[in-house]
Structure formats: structure tokens, C-alpha cells
Amino acid sequence: MTAEDIILTVQQVNQRLPLVRAIVRDVVGLKADVVERQSRLQELRDLHPVSESEQTPWAEEVTAMQDGLAEDELRLIVFESELEDVGGILADARVGLVEFASEIDGRSVVLSWLPGESEVSYWRELSDAITERRPLLQGVADMTVQEFRAET
């Protein structure tokens, strides 16, 4: 079963947010570090190109940086898996956007959460871009899916 298979209500997502926040805090910090190191690695490669057979101090540094990046990219995959275990999908690691499969009025949608938001307050259609978040109606957090359908 994947995160997409787990249909959650707003209340269920909000109950998971303390754990989601902790994971996302680690994801965003690590992702920023990985992106910065990838950029430095590319600069190093551009400034000091080396062939596969050539052993230079730069080649050793490049290899060490590649190994460190590979380890951290695996850590990001582990964090992503932890989010999936609680029903979340990491939509954007750079900003920490997490989405949760849900249902509104019989339609499959995703609930959307970003760091800094106290609770899940946005949703989007599956066909919408991840940037097209729409605000949830007030009071939705306490409703079941059936109650929400009756209101909309």
C-alpha cells in the first residue's frame, strides 16, 4: 500500500502533523545542503576537469564529495519513505510541501501542507499544479469525509 492508497480526512492529517513537521524540518535542511554541495561539485568539475584515469588531489575531492552526496540522497529517500508511512507524499523537498490523498464530494483530491502552517488548510485537484492550492472551508478539520460532502 502506498501513500496514494491511504485516503485521509483533514482531521487525520492534522493528527499526523507533529511527526510530519519533524521529518520535513530534516528534509528541507538536508535538501538545501545537498543542492548547495551539488552546485559546488559542478563548479569544481568545471574548474578542474579530470579524466577517469588521472589521479589528482581534485579527483580525490570530487570522489569524496560524490560519496557524501550519494549518502545524503539516500537519507532523503528514507525521509520520503517515512512520510509515506504516515500517508504523506513529499511534493517539493526544497520547500517541504507535503500532500495527502483525500476525497472531496466523491472526487480524489490531495490535502496540501507547508512548513509554518499550523494545520492542513489547503487542497488541490489531482490535475492541478502543486502551486494551485485552494483554501479549505472553515470548520472542515473536524468533519468526516461524509459530513464534508454534505456541506459542499
Side-chain angles (χ1 to χ4, degrees):
M1 180 175 278
T2 65
E4 292 94 349
D5 297 330
I6 302 170
I7 306 300
L8 299 171
T9 65
V10 172
Q11 184 177 20
Q12 290 169 322
V13 172
N14 286 335
Q15 290 170 346
R16 290 164 165 80
L17 283 184
L19 178 57
V20 169
R21 279 187 191 94
I23 296 168
V24 168
R25 184 176 38 249
D26 292 341
V27 165
V28 170
L30 183 58
K31 182 65 175 181
D33 184 53
V34 164
V35 167
E36 181 181 320
R37 286 186 292 144
Q38 286 171 332
S39 176
R40 282 188 283 153
L41 179 60
Q42 188 58 50
E43 288 173 10
L44 187 59
R45 286 179 177 149
D46 292 345
L47 288 172
H48 306 285
V50 294
S51 68
E52 296 276 330
S53 61
E54 188 179 3
Q55 287 298 340
T56 67
W58 300 113
E60 291 175 23
E61 186 173 348
V62 166
T63 299
M65 288 179 76
Q66 288 172 332
D67 292 346
L69 280 168
E71 288 174 14
D72 285 342
E73 287 166 350
L74 286 175
R75 286 180 54 209
L76 285 169
I77 291 169
V78 169
F79 288 141
E80 195 169 337
S81 177
E82 289 174 0
L83 287 170
E84 288 175 2
D85 288 346
V86 296
I89 301 161
L90 184 62
D92 187 337
R94 291 178 192 237
V95 297
L97 177 64
V98 180
E99 297 184 326
F100 303 85
S102 191
E103 202 174 81
I104 294 177
D105 199 23
R107 297 184 327 265
S108 294
V109 300
V110 291
L111 301 175
S112 177
W113 177 84
L114 277 169
E117 295 174 352
S118 61
E119 59 186 23
V120 67
S121 301
Y122 296 90
W123 69 282
R124 70 174 181 85
E125 297 279 354
L126 294 176
S127 60
D128 293 344
I130 62 173
T131 55
E132 296 182 43
R133 301 183 336 139
R134 304 171 191 181
L136 285 169
L137 299 173
Q138 203 126 41
V140 169
D142 299 324
M143 294 180 179
T144 65
V145 172
Q146 289 77 23
E147 291 169 332
F148 181 75
R149 285 183 193 153
E151 291 285 321
T152 56

